[in-house]
């Protein structure tokens, strides 16, 4: 039986290890589900689970386990052989029509990652920086004369989809259609009765793009996928569709959520915004701290391939286990003052982009977008200020797994 205990890999405090603290309700049953929780309620539940239940048990969706401690989540994410992704990563479970980079284990996972790495590499990301700079200012041009804007709907929601289209080779005028079909697919994950139709709609959006590239090849990534073999064999259309889900669905909403939260934290205290403009390192620190404190995607499912033991709690083979990265990122055994935004927190070994082989391959792209879009906005509108407290962050998308600010009204001098 595999056992998961040990070093957290981050900051430490002087308290005794949690294994020596009282473990009331360690085997308690819970009906917790993100689909029925507000974000603040979810974080309160995570705190309770970390304290009382090393592997919390929920009877929702046929029964599953939730890992919330940093050391356990990190260890499980690293051990893909015991915690498999091949059955899919969603809960409730969706039919895995074809394996993808996120729903596969080695050696197939390495093949997918190599294929994504052809475009999501440092050279490509560096080449995109001038485009992101120009795009950010084009978006700002659209509201600069108004003296007010919604930083989510007019900025943070607009930039990432256009960047994704640029990367894969979709025409810019398809960005909004792409975003709409992506969101409808993401919103269907907790509604199995709607998922098949939403998937077919997404597929119907992507397939004509593949066929068009075969009929008239371009110098873009979609043409590469549609016309060139990979490791000696043509890439099936359904595999390309799954890859586009990774690009178009996960690749822009998470960046939108992160950008909105970074702006909220910086504008909540004006001196923070001024400080990051004077110090690039502080800007990077603010981005990482936001990812830790306001982790966009909270959790992903794994299935155990063998019996495992989590801090004394036995999990059988075949168990559905949620690795809750958001909970791990507020573990008091790793992060001092875990519920606070500390702009200069170091070290900050957060798990917002996952860990192990499934670490988000698009993380460098997301960081680049944030590193350019945020300071350019703050420089262009030096007196940018929040018009009011934002709406409460809510769960939505991918079955209610994404923590998202819907609106962030702001004002500035014309």
């Amino acid at each position: 039986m595999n056992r998961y205990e040990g070093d957290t890999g981050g900051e430490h405090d002087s308290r005794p290890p949690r294994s020596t603290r009282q473990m009331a309700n360690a085997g308690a049953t819970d009906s917790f589900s993100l689909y029925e929780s507000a974000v603040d309620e979810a974080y309160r539940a995570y705190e309770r689970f970390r304290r009382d239940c090393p592997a919390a048990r929920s009877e929702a969706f046929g029964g599953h386990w939730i890992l919330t401690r940093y050391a356990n989540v990190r260890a499980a994410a690293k051990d893909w052989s015991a915690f498999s992704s091949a059955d899919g990563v969603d809960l409730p479970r969706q039919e895995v029509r074809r394996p993808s980079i996120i729903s596969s284990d080695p050696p197939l996972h390495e093949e997918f990652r190599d294929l994504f790495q052809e475009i999501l590499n440092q050279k490509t990301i560096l080449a995109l920086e001038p485009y992101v700079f120009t795009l950010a200012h084009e978006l700002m041009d659209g509201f600069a004369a108004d003296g007010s804007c919604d930083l989510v709907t007019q900025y943070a929601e607009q930039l990432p989809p256009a960047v994704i289209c640029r990367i894969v080779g979709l025409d810019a005028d398809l960005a909004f259609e792409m975003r709409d079909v992506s969101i409808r697919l993401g919103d269907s994950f907790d509604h199995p009765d709607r998922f098949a139709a939403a998937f077919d709609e997404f597929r119907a959006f992507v397939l004509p793009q593949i066929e068009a590239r075969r009929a008239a090849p371009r110098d873009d990534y979609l043409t590469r996928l549609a016309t060139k073999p990979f490791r000696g064999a043509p890439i099936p259309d359904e595999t390309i569709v799954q890859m586009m889900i990774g690009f178009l669905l996960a690749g822009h909403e998470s960046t939108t959520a992160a950008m909105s939260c970074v702006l909220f934290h910086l504008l909540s205290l004006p001196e923070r915004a001024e400080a990051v403009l004077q110090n690039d390192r502080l800007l990077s620190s603010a981005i990482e701290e936001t990812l830790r404190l306001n982790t966009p995607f909270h959790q992903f499912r794994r299935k155990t391939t063998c019996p495992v033991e989590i801090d004394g709690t036995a999990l059988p083979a075949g168990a559905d286990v949620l690795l809750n990265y958001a909970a791990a990122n507020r573990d008091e055994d790793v992060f001092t003052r875990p519920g606070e935004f500390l702009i200069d927190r170091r070290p900050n070994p957060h798990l917002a982009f996952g860990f192990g082989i499934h670490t988000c391959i698009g993380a460098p792209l997301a960081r680049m977008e944030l590193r350019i879009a945020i300071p350019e906005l703050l420089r262009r509108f030096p007196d940018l200020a929040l018009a009011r407290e934002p709406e409460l962050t809510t769960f939505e998308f991918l079955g209610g797994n994404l923590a998202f600010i819907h609106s962030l009204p702001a004002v500035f001098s014309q």
Side-chain angles (χ1 to χ4, degrees):
M1 177 180 291
N2 292 358
R3 291 178 170 80
Y4 295 85
E5 302 176 69
D7 181 45
T8 59
E11 301 175 15
H12 298 275
D13 59 25
S14 59
R15 290 167 294 177
R18 200 160 13 204
S19 59
T20 67
R21 302 179 209 163
Q22 183 177 3
M23 292 295 295
N25 303 320
T29 299
D30 203 285
S31 59
F32 174 78
S33 166
L34 289 186
Y35 312 131
E36 300 173 358
S37 302
V39 173
D40 57 346
E41 294 172 336
Y43 275 112
R44 286 196 293 271
Y46 301 163
E47 184 176 2
R48 174 168 58 89
F49 294 159
R50 284 194 306 269
R51 181 186 66 243
D52 297 337
C53 307
R57 174 70 180 176
S58 172
E59 294 307 321
F61 311 116
H64 62 277
W65 304 85
I66 309 169
L67 306 188
T68 53
R69 294 180 178 175
Y70 184 97
N72 295 334
V73 171
R74 187 176 185 271
K78 185 178 181 180
D79 189 356
W80 60 265
S81 63
F83 293 87
S84 172
S85 301
D87 187 53
V89 297
D90 309 303
L91 197 67
R93 288 180 295 277
Q94 303 296 340
E95 176 188 357
V96 180
R97 300 192 176 193
R98 196 173 187 92
S100 66
I101 188 171
I102 197 172
S103 61
S104 60
D105 296 328
L108 182 58
H109 175 267
E110 274 70 22
E111 296 184 13
F112 277 116
R113 199 168 188 92
D114 288 348
L115 195 52
F116 274 94
Q117 197 67 48
E118 289 186 15
I119 194 69
L120 287 176
N121 54 58
Q122 185 178 15
K123 180 180 178 181
T124 301
I125 293 170
L126 285 174
L128 275 170
E129 289 188 0
Y131 172 73
V132 174
F133 178 91
T134 300
L135 176 61
H137 281 276
E138 288 177 352
L139 292 173
M140 288 185 274
D141 289 344
F143 55 75
D146 299 335
S148 65
C149 68
D150 188 313
L151 294 173
V152 175
T153 61
Q154 293 179 266
Y155 195 64
E157 282 187 345
Q158 304 296 319
L159 189 143
V163 173
I164 291 295
C165 284
R166 182 83 166 197
I167 288 174
V168 301
L170 287 172
D171 294 336
D173 59 2
L174 291 175
F176 293 112
E177 182 181 356
M178 175 274 290
R179 183 175 179 275
D180 287 345
V181 297
S182 301
I183 288 175
R184 283 193 289 274
L185 177 60
D187 284 343
S188 74
F189 272 59
D190 59 336
H191 297 280
D193 56 323
R194 290 175 14 211
F195 177 78
F199 184 92
D200 288 341
E201 181 189 21
F202 185 92
R203 185 176 181 274
F205 171 77
V206 173
L207 287 181
Q209 300 299 320
I210 299 172
E211 294 163 0
R213 297 310 187 280
R214 290 182 179 137
R218 305 182 188 178
D219 183 19
D220 62 26
Y221 188 60
L222 264 177
T223 297
R224 182 266 175 269
L225 297 177
T227 64
K228 296 181 181 179
F230 179 70
R231 298 193 174 179
I235 303 173
D237 286 356
E238 294 305 319
T239 296
I240 300 176
V241 170
Q242 290 287 354
M243 291 185 67
M244 289 303 104
I245 290 176
F247 273 114
L248 307 181
L249 190 150
H252 70 273
E253 284 297 324
S254 55
T255 307
T256 292
M259 190 179 300
S260 303
C261 287
V262 174
L263 289 170
F264 166 71
H265 285 299
L266 294 181
L267 294 175
S268 294
L269 290 176
E271 56 267 31
R272 287 177 180 164
E274 183 177 349
V276 299
L277 290 180
Q278 304 302 320
N279 187 331
D280 288 343
R281 186 176 180 186
L282 199 60
L283 170 64
S284 295
S285 179
I287 290 171
E288 299 307 315
E289 177 67 343
T290 299
L291 290 167
R292 181 198 68 81
L293 185 65
N294 303 106
T295 304
F297 286 118
H298 275 219
Q299 58 189 14
F300 289 98
R301 181 174 67 93
R302 301 289 189 266
K303 185 176 285 292
T304 55
T305 61
C306 60
V308 297
E309 184 178 305
I310 306 293
D311 284 345
T313 299
L315 277 60
D320 286 329
V321 181
L322 291 177
L323 309 188
N324 195 302
Y325 299 106
N329 284 339
R330 294 195 184 188
D331 190 329
E332 61 184 3
D333 279 353
V334 180
F335 304 97
T336 59
R337 297 158 61 188
E340 299 179 37
F341 179 88
L342 304 182
I343 194 170
D344 58 351
R345 183 185 296 275
R346 289 191 183 87
N348 191 350
H350 68 75
L351 303 175
F353 288 118
F355 190 75
I357 66 169
H358 287 289
T359 299
C360 178
I361 196 170
L365 173 65
R367 286 186 169 108
M368 181 272 284
E369 293 179 55
L370 297 172
R371 180 174 50 81
I372 293 176
I374 291 168
E376 289 306 312
L377 178 75
L378 298 177
R379 289 190 185 98
R380 178 131 178 208
F381 306 111
D383 62 346
L384 185 69
L386 297 179
R388 62 175 185 269
E389 284 292 311
E391 298 177 12
L392 291 177
T393 305
T394 60
F395 284 120
E396 58 182 62
F397 208 59
L398 288 180
N401 190 21
L402 178 72
F404 198 86
I405 297 177
H406 284 276
S407 180
L408 205 58
V411 294
F412 50 87
S413 298
Q414 295 183 354

